[in-house]
Amino acid sequence: MSELPDPVLLTIAACEIGFWVFVVGGLALRYVARMPRPSMIVFACVPLIDVVLLVAVGLDLAQGGDVEFAHRLAPIYLGCTIMFSRRLIAWADVRFAHRFADGPAPRKLAASGPERRRYEWADFGRWLGAVGIAVAITGLLGVTVADPEQREALVSGFGVLGTITVIWLLTGPIWYSFGRD
């Protein structure tokens, strides 16, 4: 018999789907149904998805679950949703407004130049914030619900964060600051 998928990984996938359901639902309420107040309530519920994931990971660790890839991914996912969700929602909002409410067409990001450099550095700054949040969440899980073995396994994922950070820095802000134009 095949092994069941990791419940934490399934929870991450469900949270990602839930995020987009809330975003599209909020935008549909705002622009299609012309109900701006209920749309704001839906958008205000988006952070609850992060709480669900944090609780799921915490419960799994507290029940003695083995730390797998998904346990190390969850804090990174949470950091990214906290740091990037506002921008993702704004990105989708402009497109919904254009499509359903005669809003202006989405503006294309410059391929190079000062505007692109600012964008790349701002995105990298968001990534650094996401890393900080991921480290804090990992630490919180490590001191609250994880046993010493789980804590060590959770922290072992920090190397991946460092690798991603270096690659992002080189292929994003550094590339657009010095490698283009």
Side-chain angles (χ1 to χ4, degrees):
M1 184 192 274
S2 66
E3 194 175 309
L4 292 174
D6 184 341
V8 175
L9 196 56
L10 289 175
T11 305
I12 293 171
C15 288
E16 180 66 10
I17 292 166
F19 171 81
W20 287 106
V21 165
F22 274 82
V23 170
V24 171
L27 293 171
L29 283 170
R30 178 180 291 169
Y31 294 112
V32 178
R34 307 272 192 244
M35 300 171 70
R37 284 183 195 251
S39 79
M40 295 308 293
I41 294 168
V42 170
F43 287 131
C45 291
V46 169
L48 295 176
I49 296 168
D50 293 341
V51 172
V52 167
L53 180 56
L54 186 57
V55 168
V57 172
L59 285 174
D60 192 58
L61 291 173
Q63 293 172 353
D66 291 334
V67 175
E68 304 285 342
F69 167 77
H71 294 83
R72 291 185 287 273
L73 176 64
I76 299 168
Y77 174 83
L78 289 168
C80 288
T81 60
I82 291 166
M83 294 305 296
F84 288 93
S85 64
R86 173 172 267 157
R87 197 189 63 170
L88 283 170
I89 292 170
W91 175 87
D93 187 64
V94 167
R95 281 147 183 81
F96 251 78
H98 176 65
R99 173 79 171 93
F100 296 106
D102 295 324
R107 201 169 68 78
K108 284 189 89 169
L109 179 63
S112 62
E115 178 188 3
R116 183 60 182 242
R117 280 192 294 277
R118 281 190 301 276
Y119 176 86
E120 293 296 333
W121 281 104
D123 246 14
F124 184 69
R126 284 184 190 90
W127 169 250
L128 292 177
V131 168
I133 292 166
V135 168
I137 290 171
T138 301
L140 178 68
L141 290 169
V143 298
T144 57
V145 295
D147 63 34
E149 186 179 308
Q150 290 172 320
R151 185 178 315 115
E152 187 176 321
L154 283 169
V155 172
S156 73
F158 288 169
V160 173
L161 287 174
T163 302
I164 293 169
T165 300
V166 169
I167 291 169
W168 193 320
L169 177 64
L170 294 174
T171 62
I174 298 294
W175 176 257
Y176 285 96
S177 293
F178 303 108
R180 305 227 356 149
D181 281 342

